[in-house]
Amino acid sequence: WHKGSGDLSTGFYNLKTVTRANEVSISIGSSTIMEKANLALNINFNIDNNTKEYIITDNDIKINQLSLKIKGRIKKNPTFYFYDLSLYAPDNQFSELIRLLPSLEKTSFKQFKQTRGRFNLGLYIKGPFQVAPRIYPEFNGFLKVDNGSILDYFNSSGISDIHTYLSICNDSKDLSNLEIHIPVLEACMDGKDFNLALYLKNPVYDPYVHGYV
Protein backbone atom coordinates (compact mmCIF):
# COMPACT_ATOMS: atom_id res chain seq x y z
CA TRP A 1 0.00 0.00 0.00
CA HIS A 2 1.00 3.62 -0.52
CA LYS A 3 -0.09 6.99 0.83
CA GLY A 4 1.09 10.57 0.57
CA SER A 5 0.30 14.01 1.96
CA GLY A 6 1.03 17.52 0.74
CA ASP A 7 -0.59 20.65 -0.72
CA LEU A 8 -0.82 19.66 -4.38
CA SER A 9 -2.62 22.89 -5.33
CA THR A 10 0.60 24.96 -5.26
CA GLY A 11 3.44 25.09 -7.78
CA PHE A 12 6.08 24.13 -5.21
CA TYR A 13 5.29 21.92 -2.22
CA ASN A 14 6.56 19.24 0.16
CA LEU A 15 5.24 15.71 -0.27
CA LYS A 16 5.49 13.02 2.40
CA THR A 17 5.07 9.43 1.20
CA VAL A 18 4.78 6.08 2.95
CA THR A 19 4.96 2.77 1.06
CA ARG A 20 4.77 -0.82 2.28
CA ALA A 21 5.10 -3.99 0.20
CA ASN A 22 5.45 -7.68 1.07
CA GLU A 23 7.08 -10.57 -0.80
CA VAL A 24 8.91 -8.42 -3.36
CA SER A 25 11.21 -10.34 -5.74
CA ILE A 26 13.76 -9.00 -8.25
CA SER A 27 15.40 -10.96 -11.07
CA ILE A 28 17.95 -10.13 -13.77
CA GLY A 29 17.55 -12.65 -16.56
CA SER A 30 17.35 -16.07 -14.92
CA SER A 31 19.13 -14.92 -11.73
CA THR A 32 17.08 -14.07 -8.65
CA ILE A 33 18.61 -11.09 -6.86
CA MET A 34 16.00 -10.72 -4.13
CA GLU A 35 13.15 -13.03 -3.19
CA LYS A 36 10.02 -12.35 -1.09
CA ALA A 37 11.47 -9.33 0.70
CA ASN A 38 9.48 -6.86 2.80
CA LEU A 39 9.83 -3.21 1.80
CA ALA A 40 9.18 -0.15 3.97
CA LEU A 41 9.74 3.26 2.36
CA ASN A 42 9.30 6.63 4.02
CA ILE A 43 10.42 9.27 1.53
CA ASN A 44 9.83 13.03 1.49
CA PHE A 45 10.13 15.20 -1.62
CA ASN A 46 10.40 18.85 -2.50
CA ILE A 47 8.32 19.06 -5.67
CA ASP A 48 8.42 21.75 -8.35
CA ASN A 49 5.23 21.29 -10.34
CA ASN A 50 6.33 23.74 -12.99
CA THR A 51 9.48 21.83 -13.96
CA LYS A 52 8.13 18.40 -12.88
CA GLU A 53 11.20 17.85 -10.71
CA TYR A 54 11.17 15.87 -7.45
CA ILE A 55 14.06 16.40 -5.04
CA ILE A 56 14.43 13.75 -2.33
CA THR A 57 14.87 15.09 1.21
CA ASP A 58 14.33 13.10 4.44
CA ASN A 59 13.99 9.37 3.87
CA ASP A 60 14.16 5.98 5.54
CA ILE A 61 14.19 2.81 3.43
CA LYS A 62 14.17 -0.76 4.72
CA ILE A 63 14.46 -4.03 2.78
CA ASN A 64 13.82 -6.67 5.44
CA GLN A 65 16.26 -5.46 8.15
CA LEU A 66 18.63 -3.64 5.80
CA SER A 67 18.45 0.15 6.24
CA LEU A 68 19.20 2.35 3.22
CA LYS A 69 19.40 6.05 2.46
CA ILE A 70 18.89 7.78 -0.86
CA LYS A 71 19.57 11.26 -2.20
CA GLY A 72 19.12 12.97 -5.54
CA ARG A 73 16.33 13.98 -7.86
CA ILE A 74 13.79 12.63 -10.32
CA LYS A 75 12.47 14.63 -13.27
CA LYS A 76 9.28 13.72 -15.10
CA ASN A 77 9.29 14.06 -18.88
CA PRO A 78 6.45 13.38 -21.34
CA THR A 79 7.54 9.78 -22.08
CA PHE A 80 10.12 8.92 -19.42
CA TYR A 81 11.54 9.71 -15.97
CA PHE A 82 15.09 11.01 -15.59
CA TYR A 83 16.92 9.75 -12.49
CA ASP A 84 19.96 11.17 -10.74
CA LEU A 85 20.17 9.14 -7.52
CA SER A 86 22.69 7.84 -5.00
CA LEU A 87 21.86 4.96 -2.67
CA TYR A 88 23.92 3.82 0.31
CA ALA A 89 23.69 1.74 3.50
CA PRO A 90 24.34 3.79 6.66
CA ASP A 91 24.63 1.03 9.30
CA ASN A 92 26.82 -1.53 7.51
CA GLN A 93 26.02 -4.60 9.63
CA PHE A 94 26.74 -7.81 7.70
CA SER A 95 23.74 -9.54 9.30
CA GLU A 96 21.37 -7.07 7.59
CA LEU A 97 22.87 -7.86 4.21
CA ILE A 98 22.72 -11.65 4.70
CA ARG A 99 18.96 -11.53 5.27
CA LEU A 100 18.47 -10.47 1.64
CA LEU A 101 19.90 -13.68 0.18
CA PRO A 102 17.14 -15.64 -1.61
CA SER A 103 18.43 -18.99 -0.28
CA LEU A 104 17.67 -18.01 3.31
CA GLU A 105 13.94 -18.21 2.58
CA LYS A 106 14.41 -21.99 2.43
CA THR A 107 16.96 -22.39 5.22
CA SER A 108 16.71 -22.75 9.00
CA PHE A 109 18.84 -19.92 10.42
CA LYS A 110 18.40 -20.25 14.17
CA GLN A 111 21.87 -18.98 15.07
CA PHE A 112 21.54 -15.75 13.12
CA LYS A 113 22.69 -13.71 16.12
CA GLN A 114 26.18 -15.15 15.58
CA THR A 115 26.57 -13.43 12.23
CA ARG A 116 29.32 -10.82 12.39
CA GLY A 117 31.14 -8.45 10.08
CA ARG A 118 30.83 -5.17 8.23
CA PHE A 119 30.00 -4.19 4.70
CA ASN A 120 29.92 -1.12 2.52
CA LEU A 121 27.41 -0.60 -0.27
CA GLY A 122 26.76 2.12 -2.83
CA LEU A 123 24.75 2.56 -6.02
CA TYR A 124 24.63 5.51 -8.41
CA ILE A 125 21.91 5.80 -11.07
CA LYS A 126 21.76 8.48 -13.76
CA GLY A 127 19.74 8.68 -16.95
CA PRO A 128 16.26 8.09 -18.39
CA PHE A 129 13.98 5.17 -17.63
CA GLN A 130 11.17 4.45 -20.06
CA VAL A 131 8.65 1.61 -20.02
CA ALA A 132 7.85 1.33 -23.74
CA PRO A 133 10.05 1.03 -25.61
CA ARG A 134 12.12 -0.06 -22.60
CA ILE A 135 15.09 2.19 -21.81
CA TYR A 136 17.31 1.81 -18.74
CA PRO A 137 19.48 4.45 -17.07
CA GLU A 138 23.21 4.07 -16.59
CA PHE A 139 24.21 2.78 -13.16
CA ASN A 140 27.20 1.57 -11.22
CA GLY A 141 27.49 0.15 -7.75
CA PHE A 142 29.67 -1.82 -5.40
CA LEU A 143 29.53 -4.10 -2.38
CA LYS A 144 32.47 -4.75 -0.06
CA VAL A 145 32.47 -7.21 2.86
CA ASP A 146 35.18 -7.32 5.53
CA ASN A 147 35.66 -9.95 8.26
CA GLY A 148 32.26 -11.53 7.74
CA SER A 149 31.22 -14.71 9.53
CA ILE A 150 28.10 -16.87 9.67
CA LEU A 151 28.60 -19.23 12.59
CA ASP A 152 26.53 -22.40 12.83
CA TYR A 153 24.97 -21.85 9.40
CA PHE A 154 26.02 -25.17 7.87
CA ASN A 155 27.72 -26.78 10.86
CA SER A 156 29.59 -25.98 14.07
CA SER A 157 32.41 -24.27 12.16
CA GLY A 158 30.18 -22.20 9.90
CA ILE A 159 31.65 -19.72 7.42
CA SER A 160 34.28 -17.26 8.61
CA ASP A 161 36.87 -14.80 7.31
CA ILE A 162 34.58 -13.60 4.51
CA HIS A 163 36.19 -10.92 2.35
CA THR A 164 34.73 -9.91 -0.99
CA TYR A 165 34.29 -7.06 -3.41
CA LEU A 166 31.59 -6.90 -6.08
CA SER A 167 31.01 -4.23 -8.69
CA ILE A 168 28.13 -3.82 -11.13
CA CYS A 169 27.86 -1.33 -13.95
CA ASN A 170 25.76 -0.60 -17.02
CA ASP A 171 26.30 2.10 -19.63
CA SER A 172 23.75 0.82 -22.18
CA LYS A 173 20.06 1.64 -22.64
CA ASP A 174 19.07 -2.03 -22.94
CA LEU A 175 21.39 -3.69 -20.36
CA SER A 176 23.50 -5.22 -23.17
CA ASN A 177 26.64 -3.77 -21.55
CA LEU A 178 25.75 -4.89 -18.03
CA GLU A 179 28.86 -6.17 -16.21
CA ILE A 180 29.21 -7.87 -12.83
CA HIS A 181 32.73 -8.31 -11.49
CA ILE A 182 33.85 -10.16 -8.36
CA PRO A 183 37.66 -9.92 -8.39
CA VAL A 184 37.91 -11.58 -5.00
CA LEU A 185 35.72 -13.69 -2.71
CA GLU A 186 37.58 -15.36 0.14
CA ALA A 187 36.15 -17.39 3.01
CA CYS A 188 36.88 -20.30 5.33
CA MET A 189 34.26 -23.09 5.26
CA ASP A 190 34.52 -26.01 7.67
CA GLY A 191 38.18 -25.20 8.20
CA LYS A 192 38.98 -25.11 4.48
CA ASP A 193 39.87 -22.00 2.48
CA PHE A 194 37.57 -21.02 -0.38
CA ASN A 195 38.55 -18.56 -3.14
CA LEU A 196 36.54 -17.35 -6.10
CA ALA A 197 36.85 -14.73 -8.84
CA LEU A 198 34.13 -14.07 -11.41
CA TYR A 199 33.45 -11.78 -14.35
CA LEU A 200 30.00 -11.77 -15.98
CA LYS A 201 29.02 -9.67 -18.99
CA ASN A 202 25.64 -9.24 -20.68
CA PRO A 203 23.83 -11.78 -18.46
CA VAL A 204 20.40 -10.83 -19.85
CA TYR A 205 20.90 -11.49 -23.59
CA ASP A 206 24.21 -13.26 -24.25
CA PRO A 207 26.01 -14.25 -21.04
CA TYR A 208 29.78 -14.33 -21.00
CA VAL A 209 31.35 -15.83 -17.87
CA HIS A 210 34.98 -16.02 -16.84
CA GLY A 211 36.33 -17.00 -13.45
CA TYR A 212 37.85 -19.60 -11.20
CA VAL A 213 37.23 -21.37 -7.90
Side-chain angles (χ1 to χ4, degrees):
W1 56 268
H2 174 80
K3 67 178 181 179
S5 61
D7 186 0
L8 279 64
S9 64
T10 62
F12 187 87
Y13 60 92
N14 297 323
L15 177 66
K16 296 182 178 180
T17 68
V18 178
T19 304
R20 299 290 184 269
N22 298 323
E23 297 191 353
V24 177
S25 299
I26 298 175
S27 298
I28 297 179
S30 59
S31 300
T32 301
I33 306 301
M34 184 173 70
E35 185 176 19
K36 296 182 178 180
N38 296 322
L39 302 185
L41 290 78
N42 298 280
I43 305 177
N44 298 339
F45 299 88
N46 288 335
I47 296 181
D48 188 335
N49 241 350
N50 299 315
T51 62
K52 304 300 181 183
E53 187 171 44
Y54 314 110
I55 299 174
I56 297 173
T57 57
D58 296 335
N59 62 89
D60 182 23
I61 301 172
K62 276 199 171 184
I63 307 176
N64 290 343
Q65 298 301 313
L66 175 63
S67 296
L68 299 171
K69 291 289 186 180
I70 190 169
K71 59 182 179 181
R73 63 187 181 92
I74 302 169
K75 185 176 176 61
K76 184 180 180 181
N77 291 275
T79 60
F80 64 88
Y81 284 89
F82 184 90
Y83 294 90
D84 186 358
L85 303 173
S86 296
L87 184 74
Y88 63 97
D91 294 332
N92 301 328
Q93 294 295 323
F94 185 49
S95 59
E96 297 177 357
L97 180 66
I98 286 296
R99 288 185 184 274
L100 294 184
L101 296 180
S103 60
L104 295 187
E105 287 290 331
K106 308 175 182 67
T107 305
S108 176
F109 209 178
K110 297 179 180 178
Q111 301 299 327
F112 194 80
K113 64 181 180 180
Q114 296 192 47
T115 299
R116 304 185 182 95
R118 308 284 292 179
F119 79 95
N120 198 2
L121 176 152
L123 178 65
Y124 180 57
I125 303 169
K126 188 171 185 178
F129 174 77
Q130 182 174 281
V131 175
R134 184 60 60 92
I135 296 176
Y136 294 93
E138 295 183 5
F139 58 85
N140 61 79
F142 74 93
L143 169 67
K144 183 180 180 182
V145 177
D146 289 314
N147 298 316
S149 65
I150 312 173
L151 302 183
D152 296 323
Y153 184 33
F154 292 120
N155 49 48
S156 58
S157 297
I159 308 175
S160 62
D161 299 324
I162 302 171
H163 298 271
T164 189
Y165 184 87
L166 178 150
S167 65
I168 182 170
C169 66
N170 171 66
D171 60 4
S172 58
K173 295 181 179 180
D174 59 357
L175 299 182
S176 60
N177 287 343
L178 177 63
E179 296 181 351
I180 301 172
H181 189 201
I182 306 175
V184 59
L185 192 163
E186 300 174 344
C188 182
M189 302 173 61
D190 195 19
K192 299 178 180 179
D193 291 336
F194 174 83
N195 295 276
L196 176 145
L198 179 68
Y199 174 74
L200 175 61
K201 185 174 183 179
N202 194 8
V204 179
Y205 305 107
D206 185 20
Y208 168 80
V209 182
H210 178 72
Y212 69 85
V213 177

